[in-house]
Amino acid sequence: MSTSVRRNQLSGPHDPAPAAGWVDPPPRKGFFTDTSVCIGCKACEVACKEWNMLPMDGLALTGESYDNTGALGANTWRHVAFVEQGPAQAARARESGRALVSLGMPALRPASEQGYAAQPAAAVTDVAEPPDFRWLMASDVCKHCTHAACLDVCPTGALFRTEFGTVVVQDDVCNGCGYCVPACPFGVIERRESPDMTGARIAKDDGIAQKCTLCYDRLEVGEEPACAKACPTESIQFGDLDEMRRRAEERVRVLHGQGHTEARTYGADPTDGVGGTGSVFLLLDDPEVYGLPPDPVVTTHDLPDIFRKAGLAGLAMLGAAALSFLGRRS
């Protein structure tokens, strides 16, 4: 591994598959989730559970919306959020979108320092009248980050980077230590501890970290992920990640041209705190409204600097001890 790749492994820009050792990998794959056309049908949730044989989460509603799964977790790899908004909230969303200087998540460093060209902002026309009522529906999923902290902290190698640039958990290697759970800045990965549909404990996967694999087994045979295939409105699109980012930016431009200034991309900026994600979203309000962090940063970002300073501190202590010993002998 070259010096530049080693230096950028945890926080700098890189193409994740070659950095993981894959030779001549295919183009990086990813999702584009367009929340502006999501109808909340949950077909993606059902398709994901059926294909991956995931246990049920229970049938109790949260009491706040038509959401019975609540959040992403070991048993829910696709989660459809329902956010109810009135005219004041919709108007605030449009003003916040209008005030954005650039689209995508904020960057830790200027684009020029990262080697990427800054993305031009979409053209904004007149602001459309906010509706009296609206549902914001969004199908959330693992972000398959360029800089994946869950992968960085895994002590057994259970998490690995595929040739498609995605991050997958190997059930038979994971020891259930849980280091990956707090490492994820999006709160996606979780250890499975729930009973299955019959009420019996799951012997094989109980306690093992679980999350979306972007249907790695389907990608290997040229098929698209189950959630994207089942989506009736094409809210979930799948393909080469560069194309997904292009579609997201183009869709934002279309919506801005129609006066929907609240439209913005999320995860499409390769200079953000996680190096961009493999799951790009079009949102109609601030990320916090959907339960997403506004400026996520890979939790292993500062590890090289921490280890370097710890090493220097250790050397300094050894030097002081050596000087003290030599001073006593003299």
Side-chain angles (χ1 to χ4, degrees), residues 152-193:
D152 291 336
V153 303
C154 180
T156 65
L159 282 137
F160 76 100
R161 182 79 66 175
T162 75
E163 66 269 35
F164 303 105
T166 58
V167 179
V168 173
V169 182
Q170 300 173 92
D171 295 343
D172 56 343
V173 181
C174 178
N175 65 0
C177 68
Y179 290 169
C180 56
V181 177
C184 176
F186 297 97
V188 166
I189 196 166
E190 183 183 60
R191 287 187 297 180
R192 177 173 292 162
E193 298 177 352

Side-chain angles (χ1 to χ4, degrees), residues 43-97:
C44 55
E45 284 192 16
V46 175
C48 178
K49 280 184 175 291
E50 286 186 344
W51 180 261
N52 295 291
M53 296 183 291
L54 302 180
M56 66 181 291
D57 299 272
L59 299 176
L61 296 175
T62 62
E64 299 178 352
S65 72
Y66 297 105
D67 183 2
N68 69 301
T69 49
L72 292 173
N75 299 329
T76 299
W77 297 357
R78 267 280 180 187
H79 167 248
V80 179
F82 291 76
V83 181
E84 181 180 349
Q85 288 193 330
Q89 294 165 307
R92 181 205 54 77
R94 291 191 173 169
E95 286 304 313
S96 71

